[in-house]
Amino acid sequence: MSGGDGQVLSGKAFLETVLKSVKKAVELANIPQDIYEFLKIPKRIVIVSIPIKHKDGKISNYIGYRVQHSDALGPYKGGIRYYPTVDLDEVTALAMLMTYKCAALSLPFGGAKGGVACNPKTLSLEEIERITRRYTHMISDIIGPYVDIPAPDVYTDARVMAWIMDTYSQLKGRQVPEVVTGKPVYLGGCEGREEATGFGVCITTREACKLLGIPLKGARIAIQGFGNVGSYAALHLSNLGAKIVAVSDSKGAVYSKEGLNIERLISHKKSTGTVLGFPGATQISERELFELNVEVLIPAAIEGVITKEVAEKVRAKVVAEGANGPTTTEGSLVLQEKEVFIVPDILANAGGVTASYFEWIQNLQREHWPRDTVLKMLEEKMVKAFSDVVDTMKKMEVGTRDAVMVLSVSRVALAVQTLGIWP
Ligand code: NAD
């Protein structure tokens, strides 16, 4: 599925792709058609205007969205992105995916997403703060710790979450850290949140290898993208004995037959801004990275990179989707035909939202858990979700991508059917 950071698909095409996958899951699971019609429309859509005054006195007006898709399984949960091309269809599609991602992990959350169509790269910090506070004010009636809990997404970070928390708290007249997750650790954020998504990718990759009888110790792994998700996935997998033979970033890719030293590579990237030029490694093209003779391939950069043509050349036995929507629909079919085991994005990269869930619990209880506790609980959640997907796959005789959707859509549908329609 596509439609993440790089916006390869239009919002409309992205929404159609998401709806198609939900429809297929509904059919496979024999869920009544009227439930699909119900799930097709978000429960609430809010569109707001966000005027801000610049230093020179001029006014710009931005458009902001919050789409609350389903709260059948719990309060709405989902990130807020600041990106020039954000539109209603894209935010709606992402809100729906959040519903199913939370359901796949059995988190007591529904799904939502927010966005402001703006380009943070051209805005000052003060302007971003003003946009954030005004946007928060405009949606303050429909968010809340038991209603809808936002989180960071593309071009929003811990500082933006702190502004959301502060604005909401000022409006309510008391500190409400539990209204948002992804805050700085010293302001109620969760230990281990930064590494949680990469750690989750590592755990699901480990489980996939176990299932296929591939020893992780010595397994060769290639990773596209060496940002938050890619670097932490690499670090945790190499700690388990896997050999990270290639990684890439937006500037290019590096390869080492013996395996790259990930801690040193992280320092190298920090000091030079790229993985290129890492001592002892040879530079390869990104296309070569995808075609390497490896056991595991982890796309952890942008969407839509494993196209039909790329998939035809993939030699990995496992593709673990760290990024959102890295494989096109056609690419996915080719991988399936080649019997490549796909760990679908909504399962593989769900470590982040799961750590967000832990942050929310800690905030509600005014507790602060150590990193080890967070990672242990995260591992348990990821292992259980993986095994649920494999059970569904075997029971329904479908691939992993259909299995995760059947599992999550069935969970949401059951909740909807049980709750019924009021009045
Ligand atoms: P990031 O910005 O930290 O890192 C992205 C990395 O990809 C960078 O190293 C960048 O150089 C590289 N990159 C960009 N374009 C590339 C290209 N064409 N070829 C190779 N490398 C390229 O982002 P991130 O937080 O690691 O997110 C990566 C993906 O994971 C995104 O799809 C995101 O939506 C998804 N995701 C992230 C989280 C999270 O918690 N960070 C959670 C769920 C999903």
Side-chain angles (χ1 to χ4, degrees), residues 333-374:
L333 285 175
V334 173
L335 292 182
Q336 256 175 345
E337 275 163 22
K338 291 168 70 170
E339 296 190 357
V340 176
F341 189 95
I342 302 171
V343 186
D345 49 5
I346 67 168
L347 172 64
N349 69 31
V353 68
T354 307
S356 275
Y357 165 55
F358 298 151
E359 180 174 332
W360 179 68
I361 299 177
Q362 289 170 76
N363 293 161
L364 286 170
Q365 300 175 345
R366 295 295 186 266
E367 282 186 14
H368 190 80
W369 303 343
R371 171 179 175 267
D372 287 356
T373 305
V374 172

Side-chain angles (χ1 to χ4, degrees), residues 5 193 197 224 226-229 248-250 286 300-301 322-324 349:
D5 309 4
R193 169 63 186 91
T197 306
Q224 185 210 25
F226 203 62
N228 174 276
V229 179
S248 70
D249 60 25
S250 56
E286 184 146 283
N324 279 321
N349 69 31

Side-chain angles (χ1 to χ4, degrees), residues 126-191:
E126 291 75 35
E127 288 165 337
I128 296 174
E129 179 176 352
R130 263 176 268 150
I131 288 175
T132 304
R133 289 189 183 275
R134 183 71 183 225
Y135 173 67
T136 307
H137 168 72
M138 294 301 288
I139 62 166
S140 61
D141 284 345
I142 57 143
I143 61 170
Y146 293 104
V147 185
D148 181 354
I149 307 113
D153 195 69
V154 178
Y155 290 134
T156 56
D157 56 13
R159 182 165 40 194
V160 171
M161 297 307 113
W163 289 328
I164 294 177
M165 170 182 111
D166 184 62
T167 310
Y168 187 85
S169 298
Q170 301 279 350
L171 290 167
K172 299 292 165 192
R174 65 194 150 82
Q175 279 296 335
V176 194
E178 58 273 26
V179 69
V180 70
T181 59
K183 300 175 290 291
V185 170
Y186 55 86
L187 279 174
C190 183
E191 300 281 352

Side-chain angles (χ1 to χ4, degrees), residues 160-348:
V160 171
M161 297 307 113
W163 289 328
I164 294 177
M165 170 182 111
D166 184 62
T167 310
Y168 187 85
S169 298
Q170 301 279 350
L171 290 167
K172 299 292 165 192
R174 65 194 150 82
Q175 279 296 335
V176 194
E178 58 273 26
V179 69
V180 70
T181 59
K183 300 175 290 291
V185 170
Y186 55 86
L187 279 174
C190 183
E191 300 281 352
R193 169 63 186 91
E194 193 185 317
E195 64 195 289
T197 306
F199 179 73
V201 173
C202 163
I203 298 301
T204 49
T205 300
R206 184 193 72 190
E207 294 304 295
C209 287
K210 207 191 286 174
L211 185 74
L212 301 182
I214 302 168
L216 195 56
K217 215 168 163 46
R220 295 159 300 174
I221 299 185
I223 303 181
Q224 185 210 25
F226 203 62
N228 174 276
V229 179
S231 64
Y232 279 114
L235 193 61
H236 283 289
L237 282 162
S238 71
N239 287 344
L240 294 183
K243 213 157 58 164
I244 315 300
V245 292
V247 304
S248 70
D249 60 25
S250 56
K251 300 201 173 102
V254 288
Y255 171 78
S256 161
K257 191 166 179 267
E258 289 72 40
L260 301 155
N261 181 313
I262 299 304
E263 276 180 23
R264 276 196 227 139
L265 185 57
I266 289 173
S267 317
H268 174 83
K269 166 116 183 156
K270 248 187 210 149
S271 59
T272 66
T274 174
V275 296
L276 296 184
F278 184 59
T282 42
Q283 191 172 337
I284 57 169
S285 71
E286 184 146 283
R287 193 65 194 249
E288 285 173 298
L289 179 143
F290 282 109
E291 296 173 7
L292 283 173
N293 187 14
V294 289
E295 278 69 43
V296 180
L297 174 65
I298 301 179
I302 50 170
E303 82 283 4
V305 289
I306 306 186
T307 56
K308 180 173 176 286
E309 293 72 32
V310 172
E312 276 161 2
K313 296 278 174 60
V314 165
R315 288 198 273 170
K317 295 179 184 71
V318 175
V319 169
E321 297 183 328
N324 279 321
T327 313
T328 65
T329 309
E330 299 75 29
S332 208
L333 285 175
V334 173
L335 292 182
Q336 256 175 345
E337 275 163 22
K338 291 168 70 170
E339 296 190 357
V340 176
F341 189 95
I342 302 171
V343 186
D345 49 5
I346 67 168
L347 172 64

